[in-house]
Amino acid sequence: MATIVQRVAGQIGQRSVLAALMLGLVPAGVALAKTPAESDCATSVTVARVAGQVAAASLVTGLEYRDMTRQGGWHMAQESDRAAVAADPSSHLHALGSYHMARNLGSTQCTSSAAMRRAALRGAALSLAIGTAKEVSDARYNGFSPTDLAVDVVGAGYAVAQAYVPALRHVTPSFSVAPRAFVSKGGPTAALTDYANQTLWLSANVHELLPTSVSRAWPSAVRLSMGRRAYGGGAPSDFVLGLDLDAAQLPGSHPAWVRIKQVMHNVRLPGPALVMGANGTRTVGLYW
């Protein structure tokens, strides 16, 4: 199975980055369906939705395997220092991927708190099932990693926490990729697995979090984002604080445009930032 996925991913070419984003980040049925009765909430998870998330996970996994050598048999990953493994750049993809899969698989048009919580738990369970299947497949390459699976739990768990704590719905895990990742020797398809050129963020819609009396002082489309870029190999990470534009707040209600905005809501767009790293603190006018 893994070999088939690897071959398919290698043949997809430059469109794979866009395909993974569209399959993995677009919530199904956003602004396109009427709110169903509460009795219909159980049917929110469809075969097509699950298939889309499995396809996205398989695509990214296949891209990872292009640079790996398949080993003889099933084995556990060598993780003598689990803290170091958790801090590795690849943990970004695990946490972010499990979060978005849980969100997409657990999305519902029902608005009651009970229905949203049930849907979130269902989405997290499905997300972790997909993550476990990936680790089983990884066991023939770099090994089955309990730490990676634990990071998956953190990502999916945050999706559940958003269903229970309304304020967290205004703090979105997002990511950005430096342009140089798209022109590396691996080409555009390598951008999804070029972890050292990715930054994982928590982007807060400050306007929504402030009391109503003062919220007008903060533009609704401007987010405050905190991020981490991990380089791996024992190199210290950069920690970043910056402002960015929330694409979801842009005007326009055409269904296709709404979907694009929902995808871009999960991306930290270039903006000013304060970078704190091993070489000190510096300001960047346009941080990717």
Side-chain angles (χ1 to χ4, degrees), residues 39-252:
S39 60
D40 296 331
C41 288
T43 65
S44 62
V45 176
T46 64
V47 172
R49 188 179 297 185
V50 175
Q53 298 305 305
V54 170
S58 299
L59 177 58
V60 176
T61 299
L63 291 173
E64 288 180 323
Y65 288 170
R66 291 190 309 177
D67 300 322
M68 296 181 186
T69 300
R70 183 169 180 175
Q71 300 187 21
W74 198 96
H75 66 286
M76 298 291 291
Q78 297 297 318
E79 298 183 338
S80 56
D81 186 350
R82 293 194 172 182
V85 176
D88 189 82
S90 64
S91 64
H92 287 182
L93 194 64
H94 278 274
L96 194 68
S98 63
Y99 166 77
H100 282 298
M101 281 195 291
R103 285 278 296 172
N104 295 343
L105 292 169
S107 64
T108 177
Q109 296 296 324
C110 297
T111 57
S112 76
S113 296
M116 293 177 66
R117 290 170 182 174
R118 287 195 301 270
L121 290 168
R122 183 167 57 243
L126 289 169
S127 173
L128 292 177
I130 295 172
T132 301
K134 179 189 183 303
E135 287 304 320
V136 170
S137 178
D138 283 355
R140 296 187 178 278
Y141 287 85
N142 56 341
F144 184 99
S145 170
T147 307
D148 282 350
L149 200 56
V151 174
D152 288 341
V153 172
V154 172
Y158 187 75
V160 174
Q162 287 181 316
Y164 282 84
V165 184
L168 292 181
R169 299 169 197 171
H170 304 300
V171 183
T172 304
S174 59
F175 77 106
S176 61
V177 182
R180 58 181 172 269
F182 294 92
V183 295
S184 64
K185 63 180 181 180
T189 58
L192 283 178
T193 53
D194 187 357
Y195 307 122
N197 280 315
Q198 298 174 2
T199 305
L200 180 67
W201 304 83
L202 283 176
S203 296
N205 288 89
V206 178
H207 177 86
E208 302 295 337
L209 294 170
L210 290 173
T212 305
S213 58
V214 297
S215 62
R216 285 181 294 181
W218 188 283
S220 61
V222 177
R223 297 189 295 191
L224 179 64
S225 298
M226 296 177 290
R228 170 179 173 263
R229 174 174 287 178
Y231 296 98
S237 300
D238 282 346
F239 294 91
V240 194
L241 180 67
L243 302 175
D244 70 291
L245 176 68
D246 181 9
Q249 301 295 327
L250 295 174

